[in-house]
């Protein structure tokens, strides 16, 4: 039998990471298809690869966490050849993108963000930005979540726009373990004053979330869940502490929530 003269398809996944020049990148977020942070993320992704797809929520989904839409069908609006809006959660977006919307091979990398505001410490459990990266990780696709800290209503997008591509390049130079995603937070200092890129553990705030009593124009009482009163960190080396020093914090998050020390204690107790 004659040997085929065709060459094998180039692989974007290598033993040492991802070849970004050949990678298919999916961009998503939780702030919505028209969010300025998504524009930043798309610009960053397009500087790294020519094969970039966007599948994002139709409207803002902040605080959606890792939620799926199960009790109603999802409407998908095709904006252009590789750009879609979904009337669902960030998790929905990744699931639909990988299983239905993206033609051919699945993405080699998912970039979620850039979120308007931090995803530090306790934010991790609420964040739709991180949830999109979680869903990609469950689908065995490397994923990075990006968030830009803000000062009041001022969001210094230039910091993320300046440094995100370099962060992606560094993180994709190695294969991190399955079940792990990367959570990246950019500080509020000017882009030229960023002090570096540092690994950081997930932190915990000294403050708590505000719950504010309000009334509507008719005098009816409501409770409004606000934000943390401050971002002061319990301990050093955390994402909260690192960004407060003007550095970019990179936190590897693991989907396995099992606490192994307690697991061992339970084994001894239950045996």
């Amino acid at each position: 039998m004659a040997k085929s003269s065709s060459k094998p398809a180039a692989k974007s996944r290598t033993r040492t990471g991802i070849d970004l020049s050949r990678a298919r990148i999916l961009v998503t977020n939780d702030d919505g298809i028209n969010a300025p942070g998504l524009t930043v993320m798309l610009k960053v992704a397009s500087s790294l690869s020519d094969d970039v797809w966007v599948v994002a929520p139709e409207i803002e989904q902040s605080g959606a966490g890792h939620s799926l839409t199960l009790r109603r069908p999802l409407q998908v609006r095709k904006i252009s050849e590789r750009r879609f809006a979904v009337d669902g959660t960030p998790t929905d977006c990744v699931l639909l993108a990988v299983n239905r919307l993206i033609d051919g091979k699945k993405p080699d990398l998912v970039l979620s963000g850039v979120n308007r505001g931090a995803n530090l410490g306790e934010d991790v459990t609420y964040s739709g930005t991180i949830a999109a990266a979680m869903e990609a990780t469950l689908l065995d696709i490397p994923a990075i979540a990006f968030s830009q800290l803000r000062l009041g209503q001022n969001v210094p997008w230039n910091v993320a726009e300046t440094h995100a591509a370099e962060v992606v390049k560094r993180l994709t130079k190695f294969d991190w373990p399955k079940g792990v995603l990367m959570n990246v937070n950019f500080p509020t200092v000017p882009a030229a004053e960023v002090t570096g890129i540092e690994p950081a553990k997930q932190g915990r705030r000294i403050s708590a979330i505000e719950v504010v009593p309000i009334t509507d124009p008719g005098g009816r009482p409501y409770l409004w869940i606000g934000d943390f009163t401050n971002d002061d960190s319990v301990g050093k080396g955390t994402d909260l502490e690192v960004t407060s020093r003007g550095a970019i914090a990179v936190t590897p998050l693991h989907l396995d929530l099992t606490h192994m020390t307690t697991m061992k204690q339970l084994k001894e107790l239950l045996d």
Side-chain angles (χ1 to χ4, degrees), residues 56-228:
E58 189 73 70
I59 60 174
E60 184 179 348
Q61 296 287 324
S62 295
H66 194 209
S67 58
L68 279 171
T69 302
L70 300 177
R71 295 293 182 264
R72 65 173 178 85
L74 292 166
Q75 186 173 35
V76 178
R77 180 167 63 94
K78 186 173 183 178
I79 300 169
S80 61
E81 189 62 29
R82 297 181 181 179
R83 187 181 179 96
F84 300 84
V86 177
D87 71 332
T89 68
T91 302
D92 295 332
C93 291
V94 174
L95 194 62
L96 267 60
V98 174
N99 287 284
R100 287 289 177 179
L101 301 178
I102 296 181
D103 296 328
K105 70 170 185 175
K106 71 179 184 180
D108 301 292
L109 177 67
V110 172
L111 303 180
S112 181
V114 177
N115 189 67
R116 182 183 180 276
N119 275 309
L120 303 163
E122 299 91 335
D123 298 337
V124 166
T125 60
Y126 305 116
S127 169
T129 304
I130 293 175
M134 290 174 64
E135 187 63 21
T137 303
L138 287 171
L139 296 170
D140 198 24
I141 303 171
I144 310 173
F146 292 91
S147 301
Q148 175 62 63
L149 277 70
R150 57 189 174 92
L151 293 169
Q153 297 304 311
N154 178 38
V155 186
W157 294 114
N158 182 252
V159 183
E161 187 172 344
T162 300
H163 295 282
E166 179 60 25
V167 173
V168 175
K169 290 175 184 177
R170 292 197 189 188
L171 293 181
T172 54
K173 284 183 177 179
F174 75 105
D175 283 329
W176 58 79
K178 289 185 178 181
V180 172
L181 63 98
M182 298 294 177
N183 182 34
V184 178
N185 280 274
F186 298 99
T188 56
V189 298
E193 296 179 18
V194 170
T195 59
I197 307 170
E198 298 185 24
K201 61 185 178 182
Q202 182 186 350
R204 186 71 183 268
R205 291 176 176 84
I206 294 173
S207 67
I209 293 179
E210 287 185 301
V211 178
V212 183
I214 61 171
T215 56
D216 69 6
R220 289 179 290 264
Y222 290 87
L223 293 175
W224 195 307
I225 296 176
D227 202 348
F228 290 91

